[in-house]
Amino acid sequence: MIVFTQENSHLGTSFRQYFRIVPALTEELKREAYRVRHSVYCEDLQFEFSRSDRFEVDEYDANSLHLLIRSVRNGTFIGCTRIVRPPSNNNDRRLPFEKTCAQTLDRSIIDPSRLPADKIGEVSRLAVIAAFRRRKGEKKHPINISEEDLGTGPIMRFPYIPLGLYIGTVELARIHDIRVLFMLTEERLASHFSRLGAQLDSIGAPIEHRGLRFPSMVEISSIISNMRPIFRPLYQAIAEDIKAELEKRNQQKTGTPQP
């Protein structure tokens, strides 16, 4: 956890000293995400069975947008997340949370099946490796933000990694014109997410799924327009890095020389 002081308040500059957000645009990068997930979900938390190839993969990965966070210090990938999109070649176009929450989802609040499939997605498989995640009492949590991290005062620890992944997910969704993101989340993380400035809306009763989880939704336009000013430099830095990676990938695919 990086120490953040009010004297060094440009979060974008500080973030880039330690981390980079990288969209997983190649199969090689996707495998890095699967490797992080195996470390967290199979080895640490034992939510999934260990695999001999040490990749944690499921049926939703082929239709997902994947995101990584890399440590600048040693160049390794230390965290990941993804946005699952409804399958376009399947009669069952439900997102994973719709199946998990089939009995508790309140479709009078919002009915994903009535929304354009290309405008929605679900955030899942958010994971950070133990060396960058673990503090006292956090062994059984894939990621966490404590009250101290986002408190007030002249010095506070700042949760660059989870917020970097959250903000990177928002920008990845915006780029792909995804307008509503759904997620299953712990209540405490939902409240912390709202500290960005946008409110996660509960859309059904909680369920037991690796702990108590709440089905929630957030609109991308709401997150961006209501983001607190202190986080905007961080958002700008991450958006610039994602854009640069997308442009580099397009140049590689078209054979256009890089400037």
Side-chain angles (χ1 to χ4, degrees), residues 90-235:
N90 193 319
N91 290 331
D92 185 358
R93 305 186 73 181
R94 291 177 298 170
L95 292 167
F97 88 99
E98 294 182 79
K99 302 174 186 179
T100 306
C101 301
Q103 303 304 316
T104 63
L105 186 62
D106 187 347
R107 294 184 184 270
S108 69
I109 299 174
I110 189 168
D111 187 348
S113 68
R114 295 182 177 274
L115 301 176
D118 61 338
K119 305 300 182 188
I120 64 174
E122 178 180 346
V123 181
S124 70
R125 286 302 195 266
L126 188 125
V128 175
I129 64 173
F132 286 81
R133 180 187 79 241
R134 192 163 295 163
R135 295 185 304 219
K136 184 179 180 181
E138 292 180 5
K139 183 177 180 179
K140 295 300 181 182
H141 294 280
I143 199 166
N144 186 35
I145 304 175
S146 75
E147 292 294 341
E148 297 88 27
D149 293 334
L150 291 174
T152 59
I155 297 179
M156 61 181 176
R157 296 175 304 175
F158 194 80
Y160 280 115
I161 297 173
L163 284 181
L165 286 168
Y166 286 144
I167 289 174
T169 301
V170 169
E171 177 61 9
L172 197 63
R174 187 198 67 80
I175 289 171
H176 288 85
D177 200 25
I178 296 172
R179 299 178 184 178
V180 178
L181 285 177
F182 298 96
M183 62 193 75
L184 271 177
T185 183
E186 297 175 74
E187 185 176 23
R188 63 196 178 97
L189 291 188
S191 66
H192 290 144
F193 189 88
S194 69
R195 290 177 181 246
L196 282 172
Q199 184 65 42
L200 254 67
D201 294 320
S202 176
I203 56 173
I207 63 163
E208 178 61 33
H209 181 69
R210 300 168 180 167
L212 199 62
R213 297 289 190 271
F214 290 76
S216 307
M217 61 157 284
V218 67
E219 294 183 3
I220 295 300
S221 61
S222 173
I223 297 178
I224 296 173
S225 61
N226 295 320
M227 188 174 293
R228 291 168 56 191
I230 190 175
F231 296 124
R232 292 193 178 278
L234 179 57
Y235 181 90

Side-chain angles (χ1 to χ4, degrees), residues 33 36 67-70 76-81 127-129 161 165:
V36 169
L67 198 70
L68 289 154
I69 186 167
R70 178 171 57 85
T76 59
F77 291 102
I78 60 172
C80 66
T81 189
V128 175
I129 64 173
I161 297 173
L165 286 168

